Amino acid sequence: MSASGVDRPKPSGADTITAPAEMHKLDFLLGSWRCPTTVTAPGGPSETSVVVGTIKPVLGGAWYQWDALRLPNEQMPEKALSRWMIGGWNAASETFTALYTDDRGTHGEESTEPGAAQDGHMKFTGEYSMPTGKFEFIDEFTKISDDHFRDTISAKKGDQFVPAGSVECYRR
């Protein structure tokens, strides 16, 4: 039981060769979340929605899988399903990888810089392919408290990264 009184899933293989100890830097992401979200894709309008989902250890704890559902709203009447695979610690490069796919035709791969992931904070940079084209993105995850984390999103526009959204996740 955590300080907030909420049981969090633990990586099921954390004590095996499969799950590197570095995965524990991502443990603050584990659990069920409700995430008010605002995203502005490059060249597109802002979209405000709520995403719900659970992040759990998979593959012996070597990856954390986030299955998420964007709830329908007036602006976006169709629900959307997505999956993040977060982790993939690479000891040789000392980096984490994140893979993303959704049912709207978007997919991407991001990674951290060597040493860029610390307990409660990590910054992934990579490229996404969307129906409207390819874009470079940054997802910067920050633990706010045991029951709240934020993903600050930036997208490359021209030669620089500009704010592209925020995902505020609260434990359910």
Side-chain angles (χ1 to χ4, degrees):
M1 186 94 47
S2 71
S4 64
V6 176
D7 283 323
R8 291 192 195 90
K10 298 294 180 204
S12 63
D15 296 326
T16 71
I17 255 178
T18 308
E22 288 80 6
M23 286 300 295
H24 291 295
K25 295 178 181 180
L26 312 181
D27 282 354
F28 71 95
L29 298 172
L30 295 173
S32 293
W33 302 95
R34 181 181 187 282
C35 309
T37 303
T38 301
V39 176
T40 305
S46 289
E47 298 177 352
T48 303
S49 61
V50 173
V51 172
V52 294
T54 300
I55 302 172
K56 64 183 179 185
V58 295
L59 301 174
W63 288 83
Y64 292 170
Q65 179 174 306
W66 185 0
D67 290 321
L69 169 67
R70 189 196 70 221
L71 301 175
N73 62 28
E74 195 172 296
Q75 189 178 16
M76 296 174 290
E78 299 296 321
K79 68 182 179 183
L81 301 171
S82 63
R83 173 171 287 165
W84 274 82
M85 295 295 290
I86 304 168
W89 173 253
N90 182 315
S93 63
E94 297 184 350
T95 60
F96 288 97
T97 297
L99 307 171
Y100 175 88
T101 188
D102 66 32
D103 63 355
R104 294 161 291 162
T106 299
H107 57 89
E109 180 177 351
E110 299 176 303
S111 61
T112 62
E113 294 290 325
Q118 303 167 7
D119 290 332
H121 185 86
M122 74 205 87
K123 180 178 177 180
F124 289 92
T125 303
E127 184 176 84
Y128 280 72
S129 294
M130 304 169 76
T132 56
K134 291 185 177 187
F135 300 95
E136 291 183 55
F137 279 91
I138 295 173
D139 282 288
E140 193 163 356
F141 291 87
T142 304
K143 177 182 176 179
I144 308 301
S145 72
D146 285 345
D147 297 319
H148 178 199
F149 75 85
R150 174 179 300 128
D151 176 12
T152 303
I153 305 164
S154 301
K156 194 165 191 180
K157 184 175 181 180
D159 291 337
Q160 59 185 318
F161 282 91
V162 296
S166 180
V167 181
E168 298 287 338
C169 292
Y170 301 91
R171 195 170 301 282
R172 296 189 293 157

